[in-house]
Amino acid sequence: MTAKVIDGKAVAARIRGEVSGRAEVLREELGRKPGLATILVGDDPASSIYVARKHEACEEVGIASFHHEPGGDVSQADLTDLIARLNSDPEVDGILLQLPLPAHLETEPLIAGIAPGKDVDGLTPYSAGLLATGAPGLVPCTPRGVMELLASEGIDLRGKRAVVVGRSTLVGRPVAALLLAADATVTIAHSRTADLASVCREAEILVAAAGQPQLIDATMVSPGAAVIDVGTNRTDEGLVGDVDFDGVREVAGLITPVPGGVGPMTIAMLLSNTVDAATAAAQA
Ligand code: NAD
C-alpha cells in the first residue's frame, strides 16, 4: 500500500479562507477588525521569522495585529505589566507571547497572566484545565491543526486506537486530550516508554511529536494507519519530521509530509483561535 499524502498547505488555505470570511463579518459587527497582539522578547532569529509570518497571515485574513518588542533585557515585572495592559485593551482579542523567552524570565507566570479569553495559544493553565476536563475553550494551535487534518480526511475517531508519541504540554498532551474528547482510545508514549515499536504498531491513528528525526520507521506502523508527523527537526539534510516518510509511506494509509503537513496548520489555527476569541468576546 502507498499512503495518501495529506496536503497540509491546502487544508490550511481552506481554513484561512473560512477565517477571512468570519473576520469580515466580525469587522462589520464590532466596527473594528479582530485583533492579535504579539510579544517578541530577545533576538532569537527563528522566533522573529515566526512572528513576522503570523503578522503577514493576520494581514491576509483581515485580522489587525499589534506587535510589541519590549527589548531583550525587559524585566519580569515590565513584561507582566505589558500583558496586563493587553488583557484590558478592547482592540486586542488574542495575545501571543512568542516562546522561548530569554533565560532571565520565568515563562509560566507570564503565560498564566494572559486572560483566558485572549489565550489564543491555548497555553494557560486555565485553558489546559478546560481541555483536560473536556470543556470548550481555546485549544493550542498545533494540536488543533492535527485534529483538523484528521477531520479533513473524514476519519471517524470514535473507538479508534490512537497513539501519541510525546507528552509535552505544547503538543503531546493536548493532542491526546483532543483525541480522547473525540472518543478515540488513546495511549501516550514518551521517552521512557518500553518497546515503543510495539506500542506504535497498535495505532490506527499515530501522532509523532517527539522531536527526534525519523524516530518512527515502517516496522513501527500498522498497515493502513493514519500517521500525522508533528516533528520539525533541522538536520544537515534539511527539515525532517519524526517519521521516516519514504519507508512509512509504503505501509500507512494516510501520512503527512514534513514540510507541508502539520506546519502550515499551526498559523491557520492561530488565526482561527483569534477569530473564535473575538466572537466569544462580542457575545459576552
Ligand atoms: P518536547 O521536546 O517538549 O517534547 C518531546 C516529547 O517527546 C517528550 O514528551 C519526550 O518524552 C518525547 N520523546 C523524546 N524522545 C523520545 C523517544 N525517543 N521516544 C519516545 N518519546 C520521545 O517537544 P515538543 O514541543 O512537544 O515538540 C515536538 C516536535 O514537534 C518537535 O520536533 C517540534 O519542533 C515540533 N513542533 C512542530 C510544530 C509545528 O508547527 N509543526 C509546533 C510545535 C512543535
Side-chain angles (χ1 to χ4, degrees):
M1 170 184 274
T2 302
K4 177 179 175 194
V5 179
I6 304 178
D7 183 350
K9 280 191 203 156
V11 180
R14 175 181 51 76
I15 288 169
R16 284 185 188 217
E18 288 166 9
V19 169
S20 178
R22 293 175 59 214
E24 176 59 23
V25 171
L26 272 170
R27 193 180 63 75
E28 280 164 23
E29 272 177 29
L30 302 175
R32 64 167 179 87
K33 291 178 177 178
L36 174 70
T38 58
I39 307 171
L40 177 65
V41 187
D43 51 10
D44 179 49
S47 292
S48 302
I49 292 170
Y50 292 149
V51 171
R53 279 193 199 144
K54 289 168 189 175
H55 283 270
E56 280 165 26
C58 283
E59 172 82 19
E60 196 189 297
V61 301
I63 293 175
S65 57
F66 311 103
H67 186 50
H68 297 267
E69 212 167 322
D73 57 355
V74 65
S75 69
Q76 185 86 13
D78 286 350
L79 203 47
T80 304
D81 285 349
L82 171 60
I83 291 170
R85 282 203 304 281
L86 296 172
N87 282 341
S88 52
D89 184 337
E91 303 261 302
V92 170
D93 299 295
I95 301 170
L96 181 136
L97 178 62
Q98 184 67 41
L99 302 178
L101 294 175
H104 72 279
L105 294 168
E106 266 189 277
T107 303
E108 278 76 20
L110 292 165
I111 288 180
I114 296 172
K118 299 191 179 190
D119 178 23
V120 287
D121 251 348
L123 294 179
T124 62
Y126 186 86
S127 298
L130 291 178
L131 184 57
T133 54
L138 290 162
V139 171
C141 302
T142 303
R144 202 178 155 198
V146 168
M147 299 304 287
E148 287 287 343
L149 289 175
L150 292 168
S152 75
E153 292 297 326
I155 296 173
D156 182 3
L157 296 166
R158 274 176 299 178
K160 292 271 166 59
R161 294 199 64 103
V163 173
V164 180
V165 184
R167 59 176 165 182
S168 73
T169 49
L170 187 64
V171 188
R173 280 170 208 247
V175 167
L178 289 167
L179 289 165
L180 188 59
D183 293 331
T185 301
V186 184
T187 301
I188 304 179
H190 48 78
S191 53
R192 302 292 171 92
T193 295
D195 198 358
L196 180 67
S198 73
V199 174
C200 289
R201 274 194 295 271
E202 289 189 3
E204 296 169 280
I205 315 290
L206 179 60
V207 181
Q212 301 292 324
Q214 308 198 336
L215 174 69
I216 309 294
D217 67 26
T219 67
M220 300 163 80
V221 175
S222 154
V227 180
I228 307 291
D229 189 354
V230 184
T232 312
N233 308 294
R234 288 178 204 286
T235 69
D236 293 342
E237 284 77 48
L239 198 65
V240 299
D242 288 353
V243 174
D244 168 21
F245 182 83
D246 292 337
V248 170
R249 187 182 183 177
E250 299 306 318
V251 183
L254 286 168
I255 190 167
T256 60
V258 176
V262 175
M265 297 300 293
T266 299
I267 290 185
M269 300 328 299
L270 172 69
L271 303 172
S272 186
N273 275 351
T274 303
V275 169
D276 286 351
T279 305
Q283 288 165 354

